[in-house]
Amino acid sequence: MLLVEDDDTIADPLSKGLQREGFDIERVSSGTAAMEAPQPDVVLLDLGLPDIDGYEVCRRMRATSDVPILFLTARSDEIDRVVGLELGADDYVVKPFGFRELVARIRAVVRRRGPERRQASNGGSPLRVDGLEVDRRARRVVLGGGEIDLTPKEFDLVALLVTDPGAVFERRRIMEEVWGHPWYGPTKTLDVHVASVRKKLGDPGWIETVRGVGFRLRPSA
Ligand code: CA
């Protein structure tokens, strides 16, 4: 993990704590050093750096890498959050943050990105459940040999559910991951998309409703 933070009073205890949690930490204190560091598996990125600001570091990293990036920010206003996430950051924590919360966020980001990266490191093999095949790199869904024509959001929905067949995904989590983050609005649009995907897959049983909770992809028979 790459920790990019110029403030020693934050970086020192944070590095030690994260190491105790089993993370391998490389710490740098400028944007330039962050760009020159070896490709990490996760980046914790302070926004206020002495040379290049964190937004710019994020933008440049995103140009060449899909590494999970979490912003550490002292600026809590909404605009900054939105801008940060539009740049392709995966999440953010606002200083002063609790250590437990940060560790939970890091683990969540890594977990979310895991299947995509696993597919990438796996020579790009699509994820399969029974006759359903989801290729996240090519953004294609094939069922029984025939390609299914999905809208971008429908694809994202299926691509999320297929990462853990049989596991229930909460409505709120699906909304956050497919429609944007954070999500506080109504989730009716999710039902509309699920109905459409079921129709296109030709069998409503592919996506099971877990009443009051969310949805899951039918696990392998
Ligand atoms: Ca700083």
Side-chain angles (χ1 to χ4, degrees), residues 110-173:
V110 170
R111 202 166 49 234
R112 281 208 298 269
R113 287 304 201 87
E116 243 168 85
R117 296 170 67 75
R118 212 157 45 237
Q119 188 188 329
S121 65
N122 195 13
S125 309
L127 299 171
R128 286 191 184 82
V129 182
D130 293 337
L132 182 72
E133 185 179 300
V134 180
D135 186 338
R136 296 165 75 103
R137 283 174 68 235
R139 294 185 63 84
R140 291 174 78 223
V141 171
V142 173
L143 178 62
E147 185 164 355
I148 306 290
D149 186 22
L150 299 178
T151 67
K153 290 298 181 205
E154 288 169 357
F155 177 83
D156 290 340
L157 171 63
V158 173
L160 175 65
L161 297 179
V162 78
T163 59
D164 199 354
V168 181
F169 288 77
E170 291 177 10
R171 303 180 70 94
R172 185 186 159 85
R173 174 171 172 205

Side-chain angles (χ1 to χ4, degrees), residues 50-63:
D51 51 351
I52 317 167
D53 77 30
Y55 292 136
E56 185 57 27
V57 173
C58 179
R59 201 190 333 260
R60 292 191 200 173
M61 282 184 169
R62 270 287 167 271

